[in-house]
Amino acid sequence: MKEYNFKEVEKKWQKIWEESGLHKTDFSESKNKLYVLEMFSYPSGNKLHNGHWYNYAPSDTWARFKKMQGFNIFHPMGFDAFGLPAENFAIKTGVHPKDSTDKNTVFMTEQLKQIGATYDWEKTLDTSKENYYKWTQWLFLQLYKKGLAYKANAPVNWCPKDKTVLANEQVINGTCERCGTQVIRKKLSQWFFKITDYAEELLEGLEKLDWPEKTKKMQFEWIGKSIGSEIEFKIKNSDKTFKVFTTRPDTLLGATYCTLAPEHELAEQITTQENLAKIKAYKEEVVKLSELDRLSASREKTGVFTGAFAINPINNEEIPIWISDYVLVTYGTGAVMAVPAHDERDFEFAKVFGLPIRKVILQKGTKIETELSEAYTENGTLVNSHGFDGMESVLAKQKITETLKQNGKGEAKINYRLRDWLVSRQRYWGSPIPIVNCEKCGEVAVCEKDLPVTLPYDVEFTPDGDSPLAKHKTFKDTTCPNCNGKAIREVDTLDTFICSSWYYLRYPSVGNDEVAFDFEITKKWLPVDRYVGGAEHATKHLLYARFVTKALRDLGFLGFDEPFLSLTHQGTITGADGRKMSKSLGNVINPEPYVEEFGSDVFRVYLMFNFAFEEGGPWEDSQVKAINKFIKRLYNAVQNGILVFETQNNFVQTQEEKKAGSELYYVLNNSLSGIWKDTEKFHFNTAIARMMELVNEIYKYFSLPKENQNPATVREVITKLVLAFAPFAPHLSEEMWRDLGNTDSIFKESFPKYDESKLQKEMVEIVLQVNGKIREKIEAERDLGTKLVEEIALSNEKIKTFTDGKQILKVIVVPNKLVNIVVR
């Protein structure tokens, strides 16, 4: 029997696929098009880990499955190459980020080819290459022209040691995740995209997306639409005012104090002289906290009284103004009316500082005088609210807002939690921002014909508080596109999420240096039909891509408004300790030793069989060997089958073969039916289990004497098995397809269909009863006539021992199930 050498076979087929152009897409033909895409990898490390394989190999199986259904597949892969990880690696090792990135992308490309995926390598991209970031800068300019890109001062997380801005997610318990230094808050001049202009549309568009409900919910909550009122408070003995946004104007008469964010512009202006030192000291402490820390429910509330008072616009009551870190200047107006009886945070703050708690919403079944042990935050009946007493909350919200509007003190308003997207970074390894600052003309966009603004190589990128590009004189000093006078380039670089917000548009047009994306190809092939990647990107990459798509639609570049029609999240493979794999925890599993020992196909099938794709689970080393054993068994079954139909020329059918063949066809069609349904839904583990069942049944058939094995049956079953297995183990299946006498790729064939009529067994078990007691079980052909079944039952030798000499009163036949003979 032919032995299978995976090392030779896998290299052989990878070479054949590449040389034959099997995976190249013909973009002139969009009939049955299917754009399949996985989130691309970061080449900051030098190897793919098993998490990459877990995303890419199963997704490739789905793509191959759809290809064999007749879909015209486009399945590209690229590299998200800019960003902090590569720059930090460079700082640590002294290797320039361009050099390390280029080296890593070459190495990772070879690893990706090893997976055996259907990637069209002529359409790969690298976001750090000029031919890509030229168009990232073009995208920036389009948004800038539309007024969707602007510059403003903004508070950021700042690491004093690394001298760089940190995202909220990089701040752990108030310290830098990389060096452990206490993080502070400081204001910097930053670039933003006006994603908030699309807040409502981003919400509405979620309904039509075939995305996991959990992901849609995360975006829904992140955007955070709130319907309420904006209310203006006057400051006592001052002409200054401030506004608050609230979803509960019905509680306005329960406000016993107001709270400003420490960063609020009025915080120091309204503070009395005797409280100013305390306010300043408090603000210095607050800058050490991240927004995540400030919003933590477990932190005790802190704050300082300003000495100033606000006038409640509904009843002219004077209430004290405090500052506290639980109010954020980046959310709402940066000020809140505090109603401790009906807001949990306000209740906790009031308890700490002994502030009044006034009940104005009565919970059904309670009394006004009952003291609150916690804030009551639901709707109810208004009390202690003067002219609004007795109203239900819904009506009171409307009436109080109307009263405020009549007095010029408030109005109905919709607020969003979503903030504009901060897109500038004080780092080196990213796309330069195509803006110059001219002494005469001010802020000026670089002309499109002059793109890209090239990122220089000879830069000192060790962080020292300034953007590295600010120290590169020949980059920084330039001329103004308007007046040709002296100008200074923007020295910050763009957030790498901009690179990934539009990359899906670029893939089909890779190689076209004239446009970011070809209009006709984009019209025919976009948007992405199936996107696969991690759920951790729900409120960043996935949201940003949706915003950019809608903006480009409004600019006239796109005819659709959602980038990814269908989304699937892969689960997480954890270490044996149950924790998410991490280098710092020492529990990362490198796939290379397994691929070297068992081959890519075994590792692909292991990942798909051992884990439910959307759930993941703990790594179990021994299961790789079990899958290797199964694949060898399947391969041997095919080789045995080939021997049967190549050498069998004296087939003699027996009753035993007829029964075994019927059972084999039943299992074949039942398995194929399940494989179709399971693979479509990314349920690869159960699809593989069905193939295992089929292989077991094939071996049962092979236990018949050789002359009683029907070569036609064997050929059909083995052929369909190989075809069904092809998307899962492409190299092995191509080889077996050749062994079966075929000369072209198996992926030009159709996925095997199942016969609906064979989904029921031809032979059924019939229970024979006498007076309701089971006396025998027999097998008979399905759907035999009632009369014939009755005759078979009455003539059964064992049944005769219970009926001889007795009167048969009646015979009850339940088709395909039982016969009950009633005697006395």
Side-chain angles (χ1 to χ4, degrees), residues 691-817:
M691 278 183 266
M692 291 176 171
E693 182 183 357
L694 177 56
V695 170
N696 288 339
E697 196 61 36
I698 290 171
Y699 274 100
K700 285 183 185 177
Y701 188 83
F702 284 159
S703 67
L704 295 172
K706 186 175 179 182
E707 64 273 12
N708 299 139
Q709 296 176 24
N710 188 337
T713 298
V714 172
R715 179 183 285 276
E716 179 182 353
V717 174
I718 290 297
T719 299
K720 289 185 175 179
L721 169 66
V722 174
L723 286 165
F725 199 49
F728 298 83
H731 310 89
L732 171 64
S733 300
E734 287 275 32
E735 190 71 8
M736 293 189 296
W737 191 242
R738 284 288 173 92
D739 292 342
L740 286 167
N742 302 288
T743 57
D744 214 340
S745 170
I746 193 171
F747 295 104
K748 292 184 179 181
E749 302 295 322
S750 296
F751 198 81
K753 293 183 170 62
Y754 54 92
D755 186 343
E756 291 276 2
S757 67
K758 298 281 179 63
L759 293 179
Q760 291 183 322
K761 293 186 177 183
E762 291 184 11
M763 303 295 288
V764 293
E765 184 180 73
I766 296 178
V767 174
L768 305 184
Q769 298 177 339
V770 178
N771 290 342
K773 291 185 178 180
I774 298 173
R775 298 301 187 185
E776 178 66 301
K777 294 178 182 178
I778 63 170
E779 282 198 340
E781 290 184 21
R782 174 179 291 278
D783 298 330
L784 283 178
T786 301
K787 193 68 179 173
L788 185 55
V789 172
E790 183 179 323
E791 290 174 3
I792 291 172
L794 292 172
S795 63
N796 182 274
E797 293 300 324
K798 190 170 182 180
I799 293 300
K800 284 181 180 181
T801 63
F802 296 99
T803 60
D804 282 351
K806 296 180 181 178
Q807 181 184 0
I808 297 175
L809 299 178
K810 60 180 175 179
V811 179
I812 302 168
V813 178
V814 179
N816 299 319
K817 290 188 177 180

Side-chain angles (χ1 to χ4, degrees), residues 627-651:
I627 292 299
N628 185 52
K629 184 177 179 181
F630 160 66
I631 286 183
K632 283 184 176 179
R633 195 162 185 263
L634 183 150
Y635 177 77
N636 289 336
V638 172
Q639 299 306 315
N640 281 332
I642 292 171
L643 283 175
V644 169
F645 59 73
E646 284 186 349
T647 63
Q648 172 66 287
N649 50 24
N650 59 345
F651 167 61

Side-chain angles (χ1 to χ4, degrees), residues 129 168 268 316 322 356 448 491 644 651 660 763 809 817:
K129 300 298 183 186
N168 283 337
E268 290 190 26
N316 293 319
W322 288 67
E448 289 182 25
V491 293
V644 169
F651 167 61
M763 303 295 288
L809 299 178
K817 290 188 177 180

Side-chain angles (χ1 to χ4, degrees), residues 3 52 81 129 141 260 302 387 504 538 571 575 683 735:
E3 290 290 328
H52 292 110
K129 300 298 183 186
L141 291 179
L260 304 182
T302 62
Y504 77 99
H683 296 171
E735 190 71 8

Side-chain angles (χ1 to χ4, degrees), residues 265-302:
E265 62 182 0
L266 292 179
E268 290 190 26
Q269 294 179 30
I270 65 172
T271 298
T272 57
Q273 195 61 40
E274 59 268 28
N275 290 310
L276 192 57
K278 292 180 182 178
I279 292 288
K280 288 183 176 181
Y282 183 73
K283 290 176 69 174
E284 288 179 6
E285 290 300 312
V286 171
V287 297
K288 300 175 184 177
L289 301 173
S290 72
E291 287 190 2
L292 296 177
D293 291 327
R294 289 169 62 172
L295 294 174
S296 172
S298 61
R299 286 185 70 248
E300 184 174 281
K301 297 295 180 286
T302 62

